[in-house]
Amino acid sequence: MFRGKNYKESAKLVDRANLYDPGEAFDLVIQASKSKFDETVELHIKLGVDSRHADQQVRGAIVLPHGTGKSRRVLVFCKEERVQEALDAGADFAGGQDLVDRIQNENFFDYDVVVATPDVMGIVGRLGKVLGPKGLMPTPKAGTVTANIAQAISEIKAGKIEYRLDKTNIIHCPIGKVSFGSEKLVDNYTALLGAVIRAKPAAAKGQYIRSCVTASTMGPGVKINALKQI
């Protein structure tokens, strides 16, 4: 794989065999960030579970203490009489069948999170095949199927993220920006890791947290000692 000059220079800062304490790890991520833009910092957590089994799924949502540094666009599915309520609460788009039609007919995906009230899930369910693969399908577990529209929108805008396993049993999540500084990134990391640990399935056996790696958008991965107490 071709690596640019900046990446190679950044990679020299990191000992790939070392497990860094969280504070050290994020200091390195910030130091290794060479881009002219404010890079996103991501966390990649490999779990000792098998996502092929329903009783070993790990999924949930959490409001990060310092948000993600990204403004998120929210689409709300609701009955017509609640559309204005959703818009007043900060939704970027709100509607019912009209939005379903727009998504189906116009491939409309100009949003980051989808919220739905329970009474419209009948029509929203038809979009499962298009919203599901994009990670946009609302679910009660993630708090995106709810009658409390205002609270859901407020939490999302404040930095609520959803975490879920991929097919390789890894959770990938943004936890902030390089500009946050190490202290805020550690706070967000601690909150997310704690949520993942609390979501451990009863069926999970052996070592649960297999590895934990952080990296900025263009930077090298830094391994974190996830067992280290903050």
Side-chain angles (χ1 to χ4, degrees), residues 118-154:
D119 54 4
V120 297
M121 280 305 293
I123 61 170
V124 177
R126 302 171 197 166
L127 298 172
K129 289 185 178 179
V130 291
L131 293 182
K134 294 180 180 293
L136 292 170
M137 192 66 186
T139 67
K141 195 163 187 179
T144 47
V145 176
T146 175
N148 195 335
I149 297 173
Q151 180 180 341
I153 295 170
S154 174

Side-chain angles (χ1 to χ4, degrees), residues 90-107:
D92 298 273
F93 310 96
Q97 186 62 51
D98 56 326
L99 287 180
V100 172
D101 294 341
R102 189 174 174 189
I103 291 168
Q104 289 179 324
N105 302 327
E106 302 174 25
N107 289 322

Side-chain angles (χ1 to χ4, degrees), residues 4-16 20 28-35 39 216 218-222:
K5 180 181 177 182
N6 283 346
Y7 181 92
K8 290 177 181 177
E9 288 298 315
S10 297
K12 292 177 183 177
L13 300 171
V14 180
D15 179 355
R16 299 186 66 176
Y20 292 92
L28 271 175
V29 167
I30 293 166
Q31 190 180 349
S33 176
K34 306 290 187 183
S35 299
E39 295 181 51
S216 63
M218 306 296 289
V222 181

Side-chain angles (χ1 to χ4, degrees), residues 8 12 35 43 50 74 99 114 121 150 183 199 227-228:
K8 290 177 181 177
K12 292 177 183 177
S35 299
L43 195 65
D50 189 341
V74 180
L99 287 180
V114 176
M121 280 305 293
E183 188 173 336
L227 300 179
K228 182 72 175 180

